[in-house]
């Protein structure tokens, strides 16, 4: 049961504020077991629970499509025994069949991952739901760059300040920590890494440099890595740079230090919104 709880916990911890994870009514015992696991770790009392195969809904609050998942109690041949079905309001049979095809293809691409369902949703299905929503919203907006010359567009890109936030299951590796510090220097970006459990990475700098930094992080092997956002910095609060405008990199050991730093630069809400609070744990 422990591998199941670990994967379910990873899924819950990776959700954005607009994403939903709910156990089906007959699986309410799993909600209690997962809460106990998150608070106290694995124990014999959890092992002794007589629970059915866990079934849950997962999706976005803003989308009329969601997914119903049933995981096998046995971890052998996990992918082939896992059931993922598409549900929705006013969706056509063609839409449903298209989603089922995507699920089948993505599971095949994922292969023998330790956490295939976590990867299926956080790397594929949930981002696709958001892309679909963004596509509908953009139908009423001008095309990107419309009415802007190539020269002025490049100028905007080179002078736009961006920031990005990653979370991961943990950040311990000395190699990764050294890489983050080296990239911050070579790309002239400021930020910090919170090491231990969970891992948190925050960076600020020119758009093109932030994009390269984000690509570098994604290229490494991580457990439960999630890019929470990468977007322009609004003119609010302070800056991650020092008094002379020079970039610098920090490391923190505690979630409280992350909160204090984000509060210092006026961006506390960005970590609160993803469930990193004074308690020092993800809230889902």
């Amino acid at each position: 049961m422990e591998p199941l709880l670990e994967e379910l916990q990873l899924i819950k911890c990776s959700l954005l504020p607009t994403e939903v994870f709910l156990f089906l009514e007959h699986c309410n015992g799993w909600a209690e077991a997962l809460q106990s696991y998150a608070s106290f770790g694995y124990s014999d009392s959890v092992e002794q629970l007589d629970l059915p195969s866990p079934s849950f809904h997962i999706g976005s609050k803003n989308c009329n499509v969601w997914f119903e998942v049933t995981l096998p109690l046995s971890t052998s041949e996990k992918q082939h025994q896992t059931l993922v079905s598409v549900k929705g309001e006013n969706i056509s049979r063609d839409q449903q069949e298209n989603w089922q095809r995507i699920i089948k293809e993505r599971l095949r691409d994922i292969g023998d991952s330790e956490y295939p369902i976590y990867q299926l949703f956080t790397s594929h299905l949930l981002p696709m739901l958001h892309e679909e929503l963004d596509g509908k919203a953009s139908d009423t907006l001008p095309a990107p760059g419309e009415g802007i010359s190539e020269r002025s567009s490049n100028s905007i890109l080179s002078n736009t300040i961006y920031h990005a936030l990653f979370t991961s299951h943990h950040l311990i590796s000395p190699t990764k920590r050294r890489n983050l510090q080296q990239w911050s220097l070579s790309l002239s970006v400021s930020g910090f890494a919170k090491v231990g459990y969970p891992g948190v990475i925050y960076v600020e700098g020119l758009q093109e440099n932030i994009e390269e930094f984000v690509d570098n992080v994604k290229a490494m092997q991580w457990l439960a890595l999630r890019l929470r956002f990468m977007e322009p910095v609004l003119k609010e609060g302070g800056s991650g740079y020092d008094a002379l405008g020079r970039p610098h990199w920090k490391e923190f050991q505690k979630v409280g230090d992350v909160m204090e730093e984000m509060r210092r630069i006026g961006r506390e809400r960005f970590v609160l919104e993803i469930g990193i609070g004074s308690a020092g744990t993800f809230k889902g």
Side-chain angles (χ1 to χ4, degrees), residues 13-17 19 118 122-123 127 130 162-168 199 201-203 210-211 213-215 217-218 222 224-231 274:
C13 288
S14 69
L15 296 180
L16 297 174
E19 295 168 353
Y118 162 80
T122 60
S123 298
H130 291 297
Y162 262 55
H163 63 162
L165 179 72
F166 282 100
T167 57
S168 65
I201 303 167
Y202 177 83
V203 286
I210 293 297
E211 289 174 345
F213 185 99
V214 166
D215 288 340
V217 173
K218 287 181 174 180
W222 296 80
L225 179 72
R226 187 101 186 250
L227 176 61
R228 296 296 185 147
F229 63 80
M230 180 174 63
E231 60 188 24
I274 64 170

Side-chain angles (χ1 to χ4, degrees), residues 4 8 23 37 59 109 122 148 166 180 196 230 250 262:
L4 276 175
L8 291 169
F23 284 104
Y37 175 75
D109 293 342
T122 60
I148 302 176
F166 282 100
L180 293 171
M230 180 174 63
K250 299 179 181 179
M262 294 298 276

Side-chain angles (χ1 to χ4, degrees), residues 14 48 56-57 78 112 117 207 214 219 241 256 267-268:
S14 69
Q48 293 169 4
F56 56 90
H57 285 159
K78 188 172 183 179
D112 297 326
I117 300 305
Q207 178 180 354
V214 166
Y241 293 78
R267 297 177 193 147
E268 182 183 11

Side-chain angles (χ1 to χ4, degrees), residues 72-92:
L73 288 174
S74 169
T75 57
S76 61
E77 298 182 358
K78 188 172 183 179
Q79 280 186 295
H80 304 290
Q81 298 177 15
T82 298
L83 299 176
V84 183
S85 57
V86 182
K87 307 291 182 179
E89 297 178 359
N90 302 319
I91 63 171
S92 66

Side-chain angles (χ1 to χ4, degrees), residues 151-168:
R151 181 176 178 181
S152 62
S153 177
N154 290 338
S155 175
I156 291 172
L157 174 65
S158 63
N159 292 303
T160 301
I161 301 298
Y162 262 55
H163 63 162
L165 179 72
F166 282 100
T167 57
S168 65

